[in-house]
Amino acid sequence: MTDQPAWQLILTAARQLTTHKLDFSRAELIDEVQRLDPTRHPQSLGPVIQGMTRDTTGGPPSPCGTPLIRLERGRYTLADSGPSPSPGPQPVIPAQHPGGRSGAESAEPRADIALIGCVKTKLDHPVPAHDLYVSPLFIRRRTYVERHARRYYILSAEHGLVAPETVIAPYDTALAQQSKDYRRAWGQWVAAKLMRAESQVRDRVVEIHAGDEYAQAIAPLLTQAGATVRRPLAGLTFGEQLAWYGRQPHPPAPEQLVALAKQSRETIRPLAPTGIPVPVQPDARAIVTALLKYGREHQAERAGTPPRFTPHPEANTLILSDPFAFLLAVIFDQGIPAERAWKAPYDLRQRLGHLDPARMTAEPEQVRAAVAQPRALHRFVNNMPGWLVAAAIIIVNEYGGDASRIWADEPRATDLATRLRRFPGIAQKKSAMAVEILARDLAVPIRELSGTDIAYDVHVRRVFLRTRLAERDDLDHMVEVARWLHPERPGELDFPAWLIGRRWCGPGTPDCGTCPLRSICPKDIAQAAAV
C-alpha cells in the first residue's frame, strides 16, 4: 500500500508501461496501478484517468495536467516524461490560417524532418519512391519539403517509412481503408523506423504533409518521443492544399519526373542512412551483370532436371512432392549445412512415421523426441521442435491442413514473404530465400517479382561486401542496394551470390582463381572480415 495520490500512481504506471512500448490499453494501465498499490479499486481510478486525458470531458482536474493522450477508445499513450502543474504540450501544432498565411509560410523554424503521405496515382513499374507517386498533390508536397525541410521521408501505407531513394513497386494499399488495429500497428512501425533511421527525434521539428489517418497514427508517438510535430495544412480541403503549395515555385511536370526517374535509375543509388544519392561505379553494374549471367547459366545447365536440394534422392523427392515438407525444410535451414537442413523433413518423417500436420499438432512431445533423437536433426534441439509444431498448427488452422495453399492464389512476392514470416523460425533471410526457390525452382506462379529480396545470408553478405556492392554489413542497406541495382527482380541476385560465396568466397582467404567475378571484383577482403 502507498500514500501516493491516484494521479501520481497512474503517471508512474504509464511511464513504466511506455518504457517497453509506445502505447497501452486502459486495462493495462489499471493493472499496473494495482500492481503498485493493490488497494486501489478500478472504479476509483477511472474518473482520475479521464481527468488526466486530453480532449475528454469529465473526471476531476489533475495536478499534473493532462499527460495522457487517447489514441482511440480504451487506448492511450503518454505525452510527457514528467509531471507538470499545467497541461503538457499539445501533440500536434495545427495549421493557422489568419489572413491567408499558415504553417511554414509564417516565421516558424525550418523543419528538421518532413513526412509526406503516399497517394493513389502511381507509375506502373518499380522506381525510387520519390518518383513513384505522380499526382499533382504529391508532386507539390515533394517539391515543397525538398526546399523547406532538412530531410524528408515518405509515408507508405504498404511499406511504412520509406527513404525517397528506395526503389519500390506500385501497390494498392490505402491506409484510410484499413482497420484501427492496422493503423495503430502501422503508426508504431513508422515511428520505430524513423527513430532507428534518425537515432532519436527528441527536440526536433517534424512536419507532416499527409492526410489525417497518417497524422493521427504517428503524431502522438512522435510527440511522446520528444519531437515538436507540425501540420501546416491541417484542416484544408484538397483544393486549398493545392493552392497553398501553388504559392510556392511551380514543380516539374509529371512527365519530367518520369524521365528523371528513368535516368536516375541508371546513374545513382542511395547511400543509406543519409539518403544522399551517389554515383554508381561502372564496376558495380558489371558485377551485377556478371552475377545474373552466372546464375542464369547455372539454371540453364540444369534445365530439364529436377531441382536438387540435397544429395539424398528420396529426401529430395519429398521436398518436391510435399509442400509441408518444403515449409519444414525452410524452417530447418538455419545454423546447419543446407544439405542437412533440406534432408531433415525426410528424417523427421522416418522417425515419426508421417508428416501429418494434424498429428504433429496433437503430438508435440513425439515431435520433440524425434528431433532430439541421436543424431539430432538440428543443433537447436530446444527451439526447433516448437517451431515445427507451431508451423503445423498454422497449416491446420489457417490453411486447412494443406501447405500449398500458402502460395496457391498466385500471390505477389511481397505478400508471400509476409505470409512465410508469420511462421516461427522464418524471418527475412528464410522468407526471401523461400520466395525465390518457389518461383525459380518449383515454378510456383508468383506475381510482381520486383518485390523479391536477397536473403541476409553469410555467403551473400561476404560477396556483397568484398565486391563493394554494399558499403557495410547491414540488412536494410544490402536489401536496398539489391533493389536499386536490379529493381526488376532484386531476389535474382541472391542465388548466384550465395553460390559464389559458398564455392569461392568463403570465410578467410577466398579462392579467386576460378571465381566468375575474378576479373571485375575489387577483392576487398578486409571489408567482410567480421562476417
Side-chain angles (χ1 to χ4, degrees), residues 287 291 335 428-429 454-479 481-482 493-502 505-507 517 521 524-531:
I287 288 168
L291 281 172
Q428 190 278 336
K429 170 188 165 182
I454 61 167
Y456 190 59
D457 174 270
V458 290
H459 305 302
V460 176
R461 289 156 58 197
R462 277 197 301 272
V463 171
F464 268 57
L465 289 167
R466 287 172 173 174
T467 59
R468 295 182 187 157
L469 289 179
E471 282 101 11
R472 64 185 183 280
D473 186 17
D474 175 81
L475 186 156
D476 291 340
H477 171 62
M478 290 188 176
V479 166
V481 165
L493 294 171
D494 181 80
F495 185 56
W498 182 82
L499 287 172
I500 290 172
R502 210 168 186 238
C505 204
L517 306 181
C521 177
D524 193 342
I525 311 304
Q527 180 80 345
V531 179

Side-chain angles (χ1 to χ4, degrees), residues 149-214:
R150 293 182 174 88
R151 184 160 50 259
Y152 78 97
Y153 298 90
I154 295 165
L155 299 173
S156 164
E158 175 83 7
H159 302 290
L161 188 79
V162 179
E165 298 81 13
T166 301
V167 175
I168 58 176
Y171 56 89
D172 297 325
T173 307
L175 195 62
Q177 298 173 0
Q178 306 306 313
S179 66
K180 286 184 178 180
D181 287 342
Y182 181 98
R183 294 199 297 270
R184 184 177 70 249
W186 179 91
Q188 293 172 342
W189 181 34
V190 167
K193 289 183 75 173
L194 181 62
M195 292 173 197
R196 177 180 177 185
E198 295 290 327
S199 298
Q200 55 87 23
V201 295
R202 179 170 294 279
D203 300 325
R204 298 198 190 179
V205 176
V206 180
E207 200 166 272
I208 300 176
H209 293 254
D212 289 343
E213 62 275 10
Y214 295 86

Side-chain angles (χ1 to χ4, degrees), residues 308-325:
R308 188 167 178 265
F309 301 101
T310 172
H312 191 287
E314 293 180 26
N316 206 61
T317 300
L318 179 65
I319 297 296
L320 295 173
S321 60
D322 185 342
F324 186 54

